[in-house]
Amino acid sequence: MTCPAPVHIPTKDLFRLDGRTIFVSGGAGALGTTVGKAILESGGDVLFSDMSLPNVDTWREIEKTSTANRTKAFYYQLNATEADHFPKSFDTIRNMLRFPLRGLVACAGISGECDACDYPVDVFRKIVDVNLMGTFLIARAVAKEMHTANVTGSMVLVASMSGWVANKGINTAPYNASKSAIHQLTRSLAAEWGHPQNTFPGRTPGDANPNPDEERKPYPPIRVNSLSPGHIETPITDAAKQRGLQEHWEKQNMLGRISQPEEYRAPTLFLLAEGSSFMTGADLRVDGGHCAW
């Protein structure tokens, strides 16, 4: 199943998201709240989701933004790694929304610094579980909603420049590995959900295919891209500032500073909206030139 190229959309509307709902995981964090507000300003409703409740003042600003733009902001508390809760949660979410889910920004993620030889196994597994498995579970759940509604969609999986390079001077092996995995997850989901011809007919029987003879249904295409930020100044970086790491990070990119959450608004809107209609399976690296030295 293919969809025609959106050639008749006026240039001024290429970043618009009217008539659709975008799911933002990690929606209580600095990046999630910032890009979520940008989506509201661009005509889309936003379902913010996170393990923790949003800051009261921040949520008040989000509601002001949605009111000013005649859009809707919703919040749903969800642990992205608890797959058993997803069916019931999405039954509730579906009934909250005005418009079908047609987009995802997967921001939820954690990190932790430790030398590899000393890295606690349970902490390593948690980072991979949240960053990789949590992203996959959210993407799968949102894709199922798009399939049920028979609509096209676009997903932005937040990876990192750390998926391309090892971070100089700071030992974060599981974080780096999980973000590199997001790049490959992006390509794999983009291939699978882009067009039925991308998958060979039939299925090999096995634990993952209990019903190998079940026929696949064709669905409208879902584009999947990743966004790889560079270092971002957020409340989480306060400890790095105290150690003097920010000064080192600023010297490691071509612009001589670290980024602000607001600088990811336009890249995210571009990937979600029709401005990137022929872009899928790609990574948009926004790192101040860090990886281009």
Side-chain angles (χ1 to χ4, degrees):
M1 181 181 293
T2 59
C3 290
V7 295
H8 300 298
I9 296 178
T11 302
K12 66 181 179 62
D13 293 334
L14 288 176
F15 279 35
R16 295 293 302 177
L17 295 167
D18 304 271
R20 64 189 77 182
T21 303
I22 310 298
F23 192 111
V24 178
S25 68
L31 184 60
T33 55
T34 300
V35 300
K37 287 173 64 178
I39 294 166
L40 292 168
E41 292 173 338
S42 299
D45 288 357
V46 180
L47 190 287
F48 295 85
S49 178
D50 209 313
M51 285 183 61
S52 58
L53 294 172
N55 176 277
V56 174
D57 292 335
T58 300
W59 188 253
R60 189 175 294 118
E61 288 299 314
I62 288 171
E63 289 184 322
K64 285 182 181 178
T65 301
S66 65
T67 299
N69 291 276
R70 298 181 180 179
T71 50
K72 293 288 185 181
F74 310 91
Y75 180 80
Y76 190 86
Q77 193 167 9
L78 178 68
N79 185 336
T81 66
E82 294 181 348
D84 292 343
H85 295 175
F86 274 45
K88 184 176 180 180
S89 294
F90 274 81
D91 284 343
T92 301
I93 288 169
R94 195 179 307 118
N95 292 326
M96 293 167 58
L97 309 180
R98 297 192 300 173
F99 306 117
L101 283 171
R102 289 190 55 198
L104 165 67
V105 184
C107 294
I110 59 174
S111 186
E113 180 188 1
C114 183
D115 296 352
C117 288
D118 301 320
Y119 225 110
V121 171
D122 58 337
V123 178
F124 194 112
R125 284 179 173 150
K126 181 178 180 180
I127 291 171
V128 173
D129 195 30
V130 172
N131 294 0
L132 178 56
M133 181 59 75
T135 298
F136 168 70
L137 292 174
I138 287 289
R140 181 177 69 171
V142 172
K144 287 181 178 180
E145 291 298 306
M146 294 177 185
H147 289 166
T148 299
N150 205 41
V151 296
T152 60
S154 181
M155 297 186 179
V156 182
L157 310 186
V158 177
S160 172
M161 67 176 187
S162 304
W164 287 105
V165 297
N167 293 333
K168 184 177 181 180
I170 185 168
N171 299 331
T172 53
Y175 177 81
N176 299 351
S178 70
K179 291 302 184 178
S180 183
I182 293 298
H183 290 151
Q184 183 64 340
L185 179 66
T186 295
R187 291 186 284 266
S188 301
L189 297 182
E192 186 171 335
W193 296 338
H195 194 281
Q197 72 182 16
N198 299 340
T199 300
F200 292 123
R203 306 185 193 192
T204 302
D207 292 341
N209 281 317
N211 300 304
D213 298 326
E214 184 177 348
E215 186 177 351
R216 292 187 179 92
K217 299 178 182 178
Y219 295 106
I222 300 171
R223 297 187 297 109
V224 187
N225 293 289
S226 59
L227 173 65
S228 288
H231 292 297
I232 310 174
E233 184 169 3
T234 69
I236 298 176
T237 61
D238 286 344
K241 285 182 182 179
Q242 293 175 11
R243 293 174 55 194
L245 292 180
Q246 183 167 325
E247 296 176 6
H248 290 285
W249 291 342
E250 290 170 348
K251 295 175 183 177
Q252 290 171 14
N253 69 57
M254 296 178 178
L255 297 180
R257 63 176 177 83
I258 66 172
S259 66
Q260 301 297 316
E262 290 77 10
E263 294 183 281
Y264 300 94
R265 293 175 297 174
T268 300
L269 293 174
F270 167 67
L271 293 175
L272 286 173
E274 301 304 329
S276 60
S277 58
F278 200 57
M279 184 176 178
T280 196
D283 180 63
L284 180 57
R285 199 170 66 213
V286 185
D287 66 349
H290 185 109
C291 295
W293 281 113

